[in-house]
Amino acid sequence: MIVVMKPDHTQEELRDLLGRIEKMGLRTHLSKGERRTIIGVIGERELIQEIPFTSFPGVEAAHPILQPYKLVSREFKEENTRIRIGRQVEVGGEAVPIIAGPCAVEGRQVLDEIADALHAMGIPMLRGGAFKPRTSPYSFQGLGELALKYMSDVRERTGMPIVTEVMDPRDLLLVYKYADVLQIGTRNMQNFRLLTEVGQVDKPVILKRGMSATIKEFLMSAEYIVSHGNDKVILCERGIRTFESETRNTLDLSAVPLLKKLTHLPVVVDPSHALGRTDLIPAMACAAVAAGADGLMLEVHVRPQEALSDGAQSLTPQAMEELLERLEPVARAVGRRILRTNGGSQRHHSKAVGDSD
């Protein structure tokens, strides 16, 4: 149930209503927007129906939520959720940030080379895997905490917030100590124990769509996180498994406008894992921005042929720079802009001014 408070309600009226709801054994989720305060009421339908919400002082209306996912639905919150990351990044606003870096952190020197190249272009966020879920037990599994320390050092030097995956609830506190954004990978989208645990921390979470998951299942997984208290969830479309064998997965770009219609959460796209080949990434990255994506996740490596993980889908820094040039006019065409920080932002600004002349 959604309970909408009147614009002029008092804090006492709000406290009284919350107390009554919670006394009935129901859970509440408070959302304060620019114009309205909304209470999400969660629990057994029979108990909810016993409460005469509209008879309480300060209540304007009460509406049942029809979707099985409640707190992440557009019914619960009409305005888009915007999530701040560090000092310069906001996901869900006008600017479209790019999260780039290696699939896996392989060592300090190569990570520094990649990060320095990205930082020089104005890429605002760095991705990199410390714990890697690999299909083969004989493949490189990541450097663990050592990789997290290397990424933390890069952040101290460049100011770039870092994104890395947490695979197991037992590693959550360790990853939380270093990361600015926690990532839940495709194989863990329905690891409900892990979703519950990250729902109890106060850092943003990028939730990747399961490779065989429906949109409804995807949103129900996001609901797990939000219902446990963490509403800083970013959805990531990373491709789904189909009969097609020419690409690693099939990038479902129809999911972007559909998700934007169904949920208030921001949506980013990962073309690298979806396609598995670099020659298609530029076209699909541009298409993702045109479809309304709030951000892009891209794999970049200075020497893809030497990468220990996913070299075939990793762009070189030069290819990344060329892609930025292609993305900027696409973003402008749909009323957005590609977020570039530091020196990269200045180059982008100068080019944009020249274009407008």
Side-chain angles (χ1 to χ4, degrees):
M1 181 73 73
I2 294 174
V3 180
V4 183
M5 302 299 292
K6 294 178 181 178
D8 60 350
H9 75 275
T10 66
Q11 289 302 306
E12 184 179 358
E13 291 170 341
L14 180 61
R15 283 195 301 270
D16 288 346
L17 178 56
L18 291 172
R20 171 65 186 277
I21 294 170
E22 292 167 359
K23 188 176 181 180
M24 295 284 290
L26 302 168
R27 288 188 293 140
T28 60
H29 190 283
L30 196 62
S31 175
K32 293 188 177 182
E34 294 180 3
R35 298 180 300 273
R36 286 284 190 274
T37 295
I38 297 174
I39 304 171
V41 184
I42 307 166
E44 294 183 19
R45 180 178 301 178
E46 292 75 14
L47 290 177
I48 293 175
Q49 291 175 340
E50 290 181 14
I51 303 177
F53 293 105
T54 54
S55 66
F56 280 79
V59 173
E60 182 176 283
H63 309 285
I65 300 178
L66 301 180
Q67 298 287 5
Y69 40 88
K70 311 299 183 183
L71 302 177
V72 306
S73 73
R74 185 69 76 172
E75 294 175 90
F76 176 67
K77 182 181 177 185
E78 291 185 2
E79 64 267 23
N80 294 330
T81 290
R82 299 185 176 196
I83 298 174
R84 296 289 304 182
I85 302 170
R87 296 190 301 272
Q88 301 185 70
V89 181
E90 180 182 70
V91 183
E94 176 196 356
V96 179
I98 293 175
I99 305 164
C103 176
V105 176
E106 302 163 0
R108 181 187 294 275
Q109 180 178 344
V110 69
L111 179 65
D112 285 345
E113 289 182 64
I114 296 168
D116 288 345
L118 295 172
H119 184 58
M121 323 175 186
I123 299 297
M125 298 182 66
L126 179 69
R127 66 177 290 172
F131 300 93
K132 296 301 301 178
R134 305 301 297 277
T135 302
S136 170
Y138 307 111
S139 298
F140 179 62
Q141 305 288 317
L143 296 178
E145 186 174 7
L146 186 59
L148 296 173
K149 290 179 178 178
Y150 291 159
M151 294 186 76
S152 179
D153 290 343
V154 169
R155 178 182 55 212
E156 291 301 312
R157 183 166 54 82
T158 66
M160 299 171 74
I162 58 177
V163 180
T164 194
E165 183 172 353
V166 56
M167 292 174 50
D168 191 304
R170 292 169 295 184
D171 298 325
L172 178 57
L173 291 180
L174 174 63
V175 178
Y176 177 90
K177 175 182 174 182
Y178 292 98
D180 297 287
V181 181
L182 307 173
Q183 177 183 304
I184 304 295
T186 184
R187 293 171 177 83
N188 275 317
M189 190 207 78
Q190 290 186 312
N191 182 339
F192 300 119
R193 174 67 183 275
L194 181 58
L195 299 179
T196 299
E197 293 295 323
V198 299
Q200 298 175 61
V201 302
D202 60 354
K203 288 189 176 181
V205 176
I206 292 178
L207 176 65
K208 287 199 166 186
R209 182 182 180 182
M211 64 184 74
S212 301
T214 65
I215 293 294
K216 179 180 176 181
E217 290 168 340
F218 191 19
L219 290 173
M220 289 302 292
S221 290
E223 186 81 5
Y224 259 89
I225 300 172
V226 177
S227 68
H228 283 84
N230 187 352
D231 58 1
K232 301 173 184 176
V233 177
I234 301 166
L235 303 175
C236 180
E237 167 56 45
R238 48 79 65 204
I240 53 176
R241 181 167 290 177
T242 68
F243 53 80
E244 183 52 64
S245 59
E246 288 296 319
T247 54
R248 182 173 179 177
N249 295 282
T250 297
L251 182 54
D252 182 13
L253 284 184
S254 67
V256 177
L258 179 57
L259 286 167
K260 302 285 280 186
K261 181 177 181 180
L262 296 175
T263 180
H264 55 85
L265 298 176
V267 182
V268 303
V269 173
D270 180 349
S272 299
H273 279 93
L275 301 167
R277 44 190 289 185
T278 56
D279 58 331
L280 302 180
I281 289 174
M284 298 310 290
C286 290
V289 173
D294 295 306
L296 293 172
M297 296 189 73
L298 296 162
E299 291 192 348
V300 176
H301 198 288
V302 286
R303 292 176 290 278
Q305 70 277 10
E306 299 177 8
L308 297 179
S309 176
D310 288 347
Q313 65 195 37
S314 297
L315 299 172
T316 62
Q318 180 180 351
M320 182 72 246
E321 183 73 76
E322 292 170 357
L323 175 55
L324 286 171
E325 298 302 318
R326 292 181 59 176
L327 286 170
E328 286 162 356
V330 176
R332 289 197 296 270
V334 293
R336 310 286 289 274
R337 61 184 176 88
I338 301 300
L339 177 62
R340 298 179 75 171
T341 57
N342 305 315
S345 176
Q346 182 61 42
R347 288 196 300 274
H348 167 61
H349 175 71
S350 299
K351 181 174 178 58
V353 171
D355 286 348
S356 66
D357 290 339

